[in-house]
Amino acid sequence: MAERYFQPEIETASREQIKAWQDERLVKQVRHVWENVPYYRKKMEEKGLSPADIKSTEDLHKLPFLSKADLRDAYPYGLMGAPLKDCVRIQSTSGTTGKRVVAFYTKEDIDLWEDCCARAITAAGGTNEDVCQVSYGYGLFTGGPGLNGGSHKVGCLTIPMSSGNTERQIMFIRDLNATILCCTPSYAAYLGESMKEMGLTPAQIPLKAGIFGAEAWSEEMRQDIQKTLGIRAFDIYGLTELSGPGVAFECSAQTGMHINEDHFIAEIIDPKTGEVLPDGEQGELVFTAITKRAFPLLRYRTKDICVLSREKCPCGRTHVKMSKPRGRSDDMLIIRGVNVFPSQIETVLLNMGYPANYQIIVDRVNHTDTLDVQVEMTPEMFTDNMGDIAQRQKGLVDGLRSMLGLTAKVSLVAPKTIVRSEGKAVRVIDKRKI
Ligand code: DLL
C-alpha cells in the first residue's frame, strides 16, 4: 500500500475534540501574542482586554480584528512573534500596489504549513507513487514553496517547475509521466488549451489530478479543465498572511474546502458591521492562526467572501468546509449601484461555451458607469461573418443581463488576443477615478 499523508486522528476528529484543541491553542496563542507582539497588545489594551479575558473560542469575538492596513502599519517587523534568531524564512504577497506583506516563519511554522499542503495533495488522491509537477511560482510567492514542501512530505517525486515556459511544462508532464499538476486554474486552462492544440487527447495526458488555487475560479471552469486534461481538479485556498496554500483544501467530494481547523479558527463576519454571522450565511472570512509562532495573526480579515458549512462530508473529514470564495469584498465591483462579482460574469461565459479568457473593463463616462466585457472566441467560433458575431454578442449581452441585472457592452475578440497569465490572471481593469 502506497504511503499516504491522511491524518485521520486530526482530520476526522470529533467536533468536541476539535473545539478542545482550539480552546487550548487560542488561550496559549493570545498569551504568546500579548507577550511578544507589542503592536497587537496595544490593540487589545485599547479594547480594555488582557489575556485573562480570553478563556475559550466563545471569547474570540472580543478580540480586535487585524486588517491589511495593520500589516502595512507594522511593516516589516512589527507583527513578528518570534525572535529573529528563531525565524528561518520570509514569504511575501504578490500585491502590486503599496507595501507588500512580509510573513515570517520558524522551522516549526514551515513544518506545519507543509503538513497542511501534504493533506491537500493526499485529499486529491496523491501518494508516494505520484509524480507531482509544481507549476506555481517559486520565490517570494507561497504557491511553489508550499506545495513543493507538501509534495515532499507525501513522498511524491516532485518536479519544482515554477511557472512559465509552457513548452517545457508540457514536455516534463509527458516525459516524466506527471500525475499531479499544481498551478493556478488559469494556467491549468492555458496548459490544457496548448496541449489540445498540439493534438493531445485527454487519454494521452498522464495527469490524473490537479490542485488549483490562488485565484477565484468557477465550477464551470473546473468542468472545462477536467474535460480538457482528463483529470479531477481540486481547489486549494490560502494566503501569505496565514502561511500560504493549504489553509483549506478540497477532498474527493469536491463540494467546498476543509479548513485545517487544528491550525486556524474561521469566522464569517458581516464586512460592513464586523458582526459574526452564523454558519451558512455569506460574509467575509476571518482567520485566527492558533499554532503559528513567527507571524501569529489573530482575527485577520481576509476580504474573501464565502460561506461555511458543517454538513457531514462523505469523505469522513470533520473539519468545517468553506465554499469557493465568491469574490472579495474589495474585488466586488459596484456598477451603476449593482454589486457585481467577476465570478458571475465567468459563469455566464463558460455556460455559453466560451473559454475562460476574458477581461472586464469598467469606466465612467458622463457620470455613468460602463461595463465592457471582452471575450475571446474559440477557434471554432471565429468567423469574419459580422452577422454571426453580432448574434453571438447579443446572446452574451442577454445572458449577462439576466445574471447581473445590468446591460454590458460585449466585444468578441479573436482567439489568443487576451494576454495569458502564468500566475494569477488579471480579469478586471477599473479605470474609474473614484
Ligand atoms: O494565493 C496562496 C496560494 C497559493 C493559495 C497557491 C492557493 C494556491 P496570496 O498571494 O497572499 O496567497 O493571495 C491570497 O488569493 O485572500 C484569495 O483572495 C485568493 N485565493 C487564494 N486561493 C484561492 C482560491 C496565495 N482557491 C488571496 N479561490 C486570498 C479563490 C483564492 N481565491
Side-chain angles (χ1 to χ4, degrees), residues 267-270 275-284 305-309 323 326:
E267 298 170 275
I268 292 284
I269 62 161
D270 177 327
E275 181 203 347
V276 179
L277 300 175
D279 286 349
E281 279 196 34
Q282 175 168 300
E284 181 181 336
I305 303 292
C306 69
V307 177
L308 295 182
S309 155
S323 65
R326 296 176 180 174

Side-chain angles (χ1 to χ4, degrees), residues 17-312:
Q17 176 62 72
I18 294 170
K19 178 167 184 325
W21 283 327
Q22 291 190 334
D23 286 345
E24 187 200 323
R25 291 173 187 182
L26 175 66
V27 169
K28 202 167 142 209
Q29 185 74 315
V30 169
R31 182 154 293 283
H32 168 75
V33 170
W34 173 269
E35 284 166 4
N36 294 286
V37 187
Y39 186 95
Y40 200 79
R41 178 179 183 146
K42 185 160 164 271
K43 283 189 80 119
M44 281 178 67
E45 282 171 345
E46 279 165 9
K47 281 197 114 191
L49 289 171
S50 80
D53 295 306
I54 311 299
K55 298 189 183 68
S56 73
T57 44
E58 274 86 39
D59 298 321
L60 186 60
H61 69 277
K62 296 180 185 164
L63 289 169
F65 291 118
L66 270 177
S67 67
K68 219 163 201 140
D70 290 299
L71 268 54
R72 278 194 205 113
D73 268 4
Y75 175 88
Y77 285 119
L79 285 163
M80 203 182 197
L84 199 74
K85 70 176 173 50
D86 292 345
C87 296
V88 296
R89 170 108 63 90
I90 70 145
Q91 300 286 161
S92 178
T93 53
S94 46
T96 46
T97 51
K99 290 264 192 239
R100 283 166 165 247
V101 169
V102 172
F104 305 92
Y105 303 74
T106 62
K107 266 193 196 133
E108 294 72 27
D109 291 338
I110 289 183
D111 193 45
L112 298 177
W113 172 28
E114 292 179 350
D115 261 10
C116 292
C117 291
R119 287 182 194 170
I121 294 172
T122 304
T127 71
N128 60 358
E129 301 200 7
D130 279 293
V131 177
C132 179
Q133 180 152 318
V134 182
S135 305
Y136 285 111
Y138 279 66
L140 288 172
F141 180 55
T142 54
L147 281 141
N148 193 94
S151 175
H152 276 198
K153 285 211 166 189
V154 176
C156 303
L157 175 64
T158 309
I159 311 178
M161 273 307 284
S162 197
S163 53
N165 199 335
T166 302
E167 246 172 62
R168 196 175 56 192
Q169 299 271 356
I170 298 173
M171 183 187 86
F172 272 124
I173 291 175
R174 298 183 68 197
D175 292 355
L176 294 170
N177 279 327
T179 46
I180 300 179
L181 174 67
C182 306
C183 62
T184 56
S186 46
Y187 196 47
Y190 180 51
L191 284 172
E193 193 184 338
S194 308
M195 288 196 242
K196 197 167 162 188
E197 275 170 19
M198 290 166 66
L200 293 175
T201 62
Q204 291 167 313
I205 301 171
L207 294 170
K208 65 174 192 193
I211 302 176
F212 306 135
E215 63 183 3
W217 55 309
S218 59
E219 217 28 69
E220 292 75 13
M221 188 161 169
R222 186 210 303 270
Q223 300 308 329
D224 239 35
I225 296 175
Q226 293 196 147
K227 207 163 78 203
T228 343
L229 291 174
I231 60 170
R232 289 193 82 193
F234 297 90
D235 204 350
I236 183 166
Y237 170 89
L239 50 162
T240 314
E241 295 88 320
L242 294 168
S243 61
V247 170
F249 61 87
E250 232 172 18
C251 62
S252 53
Q254 293 181 306
T255 51
M257 295 176 270
H258 291 283
I259 294 171
N260 281 309
E261 284 189 283
D262 48 332
H263 299 300
F264 304 102
I265 304 178
E267 298 170 275
I268 292 284
I269 62 161
D270 177 327
K272 289 206 185 79
T273 63
E275 181 203 347
V276 179
L277 300 175
D279 286 349
E281 279 196 34
Q282 175 168 300
E284 181 181 336
L285 193 53
V286 171
F287 280 111
T288 298
I290 48 178
T291 50
K292 289 171 66 194
R293 288 288 168 264
F295 206 54
L297 302 191
L298 305 183
R299 299 201 88 202
Y300 183 64
R301 292 186 61 158
T302 63
K303 303 261 183 195
D304 292 318
I305 303 292
C306 69
V307 177
L308 295 182
S309 155
R310 288 182 204 278
E311 262 172 46
K312 199 165 184 285

Side-chain angles (χ1 to χ4, degrees), residues 386-402:
M386 294 318 281
D388 283 356
I389 294 202
Q391 202 174 354
R392 282 197 165 277
Q393 280 176 183
K394 183 177 176 313
L396 279 167
V397 170
D398 291 346
L400 288 169
R401 191 185 300 113
S402 73

Side-chain angles (χ1 to χ4, degrees), residues 335-336 362-371 406 432:
I335 302 172
R336 283 172 247 148
V362 187
D363 206 348
R364 186 162 282 182
V365 181
N366 297 330
H367 308 290
T368 305
D369 295 331
T370 57
L371 169 63
L406 268 181
R432 293 174 296 184

